[in-house]
Amino acid sequence: MVAPSSFGNKEDHQIVGCLHMGHLHLPTTHTNCHNNGKMVIGSSKKVVANQLDEEKRVCALVVDDDPLVRKLHQMFLNRQGLDADVAENGKEAVDLFASGMNYDLVLMDMEMPVMDGPKATRELRAMGVTSMIVGVTGRGVEADKAAFMAAGLDDCIDKPLNGGAIIAMLDELAKKVL
Amino acid sequence: MEVDQLQRNFLEYTNLLFREGFLDGQFSQLQLLQDESNPDFVFEVVSLFFEDSERLLNDLTIALDQQNVDFKKIDAHVHQLKGSSSSIGAQRVKNTCIAFRDVCLEQNAEGCLRCLQQVKQEYLLVKTKLEALLRVRVPHLFSLEQQIVAAGGAIPMLNDFC
């Protein structure tokens, strides 16, 4: 299982894999997700104080089979100060969490090969994942959207994403963790 | 050419593309994401769109050429193309895809062929215009954007469309 790196080596962070409930820690080379520290969320710069000192960047995971969409959503998130990893389908996303990675926010596409959004969401929730999972759908059948929400989403939004939608999402995320 | 004039040309051309419906507000979102640390972002995303589209249009041509047309497959391809085009703001391509999906639902092979022709046409149109705006295939000509940057100017934004 390989999730391609979201953004080269432009930053000098130390690369640390995230621990999830003390499970197997697989060192990874593609995320800056730390588990400690104050959380600084996006451009609203809300600081969620915590006992620990180190600054933590909010981590996101973009799950979509279209490389164009992955790149776009990643950039939207980066712009708001988030680090974002990518996964090509639901199975890759599940595998990432299973390997010990942790993300605050997951953008989950609905239709993907191998494992689709609803299935992946159900599996993640069954695994005990409490991250904010936002479904991303092309405007479609309402019943499909409802079924997707029922799989365990926190919210569901239409493609394509824009800056405003991301900010609204981060405000929700801030409320969730505060 | 003066930077001012170049910037005006760039804005006018972008404005024209918006007015003629080739691009919608999503394209402005792309432009907003471009900055000094990501100077080629729009070009990169548009290039991905070209790659995606050409592959999908090819797949669609093959799929519609089969003895027994697999309409489910066709719908899946068109759905993808609709997704990419809407992500970059290629409005007319997106709208053609929406119509295409309706025809696909009817399982009308001839109708689908007509739709494919339309999508190809719209794609080629927007491709030409985007290439003019960003880069050109003919090396000795500079795109408007390149000329502006070469003259020391900044790429202007269409704030109305943000």
Side-chain angles (χ1 to χ4, degrees):
Chain A
M1 166 271 307
V2 176
S5 179
S6 55
F7 44 84
N9 295 314
K10 63 175 179 172
E11 286 157 287
D12 278 340
H13 290 268
Q14 214 182 2
I15 307 298
V16 176
C18 297
L19 294 175
H20 175 67
M21 312 257 292
H23 283 172
L24 263 178
H25 172 197
L26 289 176
T28 65
T29 55
H30 51 253
T31 186
N32 296 337
C33 299
H34 304 274
N35 261 327
N36 357 305
K38 291 193 293 266
M39 195 152 65
V40 178
I41 299 180
S43 60
S44 55
K45 295 282 189 276
K46 291 194 186 116
V47 176
V48 179
N50 196 304
Q51 299 96 329
L52 311 150
D53 302 305
E54 211 191 333
E55 194 175 300
K56 173 190 170 179
R57 300 195 72 184
V58 177
C59 298
L61 177 65
V62 175
V63 189
D64 200 299
D65 59 325
D66 187 347
L68 190 161
V69 172
R70 285 198 300 268
K71 186 182 180 79
L72 191 59
H73 291 183
Q74 211 174 28
M75 186 59 88
F76 274 123
L77 292 166
N78 289 161
R79 256 318 176 82
Q80 297 302 329
L82 277 75
D83 290 344
D85 280 350
V86 293
E88 292 185 15
N89 56 58
K91 181 167 190 308
E92 280 196 12
V94 170
D95 289 346
L96 276 169
F97 276 93
S99 75
M101 297 297 292
N102 201 5
Y103 300 96
D104 302 289
L105 170 66
V106 179
L107 286 181
M108 184 79 80
D109 186 24
M110 184 159 76
E111 299 180 39
M112 292 177 287
V114 184
M115 186 189 292
D116 66 19
K119 184 156 202 279
T121 306
R122 272 191 295 274
E123 292 213 4
L124 289 174
R125 293 305 189 205
M127 280 163 62
V129 170
T130 56
S131 315
M132 180 170 179
I133 306 180
V134 176
V136 179
T137 64
R139 241 168 308 131
V141 182
E142 276 311 305
D144 289 343
K145 236 177 155 174
F148 199 3
M149 278 298 291
L153 296 178
D154 290 286
D155 199 358
C156 198
I157 56 177
D158 284 336
K159 276 186 203 186
L161 249 61
N162 55 51
I166 298 283
I167 292 173
M169 222 184 284
L170 295 181
D171 283 343
E172 279 308 306
L173 183 60
K175 285 185 209 156
K176 192 179 181 226
V177 295
L178 274 169
Chain B
M1 205 191 270
E2 297 288 347
V3 173
D4 281 352
Q5 184 58 48
L6 282 172
Q7 286 176 327
R8 269 198 294 278
N9 289 352
F10 182 88
L11 266 178
E12 263 172 39
Y13 192 59
T14 317
N15 204 355
L16 182 68
L17 296 183
F18 278 107
R19 274 205 315 272
E20 291 185 336
F22 285 104
L23 298 177
D24 64 27
Q26 185 65 16
F27 188 74
S28 306
Q29 292 286 324
L30 296 190
Q31 291 177 302
L32 284 172
L33 288 172
Q34 184 161 289
D35 61 12
E36 315 77 48
S37 52
N38 300 284
D40 294 321
F41 182 68
V42 178
F43 174 70
E44 286 166 9
V45 176
V46 170
S47 301
L48 278 173
F49 168 65
F50 290 165
E51 278 173 35
D52 257 8
S53 304
E54 274 157 44
R55 178 181 46 88
L56 287 165
L57 288 171
N58 195 39
D59 289 346
L60 279 166
T61 309
I62 292 173
L64 276 169
D65 204 27
Q66 303 303 306
Q67 274 260 320
N68 294 314
V69 175
D70 184 348
F71 287 100
K72 243 190 148 184
K73 207 177 198 179
I74 303 222
D75 185 66
H77 290 323
V78 178
H79 171 80
Q80 278 212 306
L81 186 55
K82 186 195 116 187
S84 311
S85 57
S86 84
S87 294
I88 70 145
Q91 189 175 244
R92 281 164 60 149
V93 175
K94 178 190 79 173
N95 289 339
T96 321
C97 287
I98 293 174
F100 197 155
R101 290 192 87 187
D102 288 337
V103 174
C104 209
L105 270 172
E106 298 166 15
Q107 307 223 339
N108 176 353
E110 265 205 47
C112 284
L113 274 167
R114 275 196 296 275
C115 285
L116 179 58
Q117 278 314 108
Q118 265 184 297
V119 178
K120 280 183 176 172
Q121 220 171 324
E122 287 300 340
Y123 167 68
L124 285 171
L125 276 171
V126 81
K127 181 176 189 201
T128 312
K129 291 168 193 300
L130 285 171
E131 279 177 338
L133 200 60
L134 303 172
R135 298 278 191 279
V136 287
R137 278 171 298 187
V138 185
H140 67 275
L141 283 177
F142 288 101
S143 69
L144 282 173
E145 198 185 67
Q146 284 169 312
Q147 287 180 68
I148 292 173
V149 172
I155 309 301
M157 282 297 308
L158 259 181
N159 288 317
D160 306 322
F161 290 86
C162 290

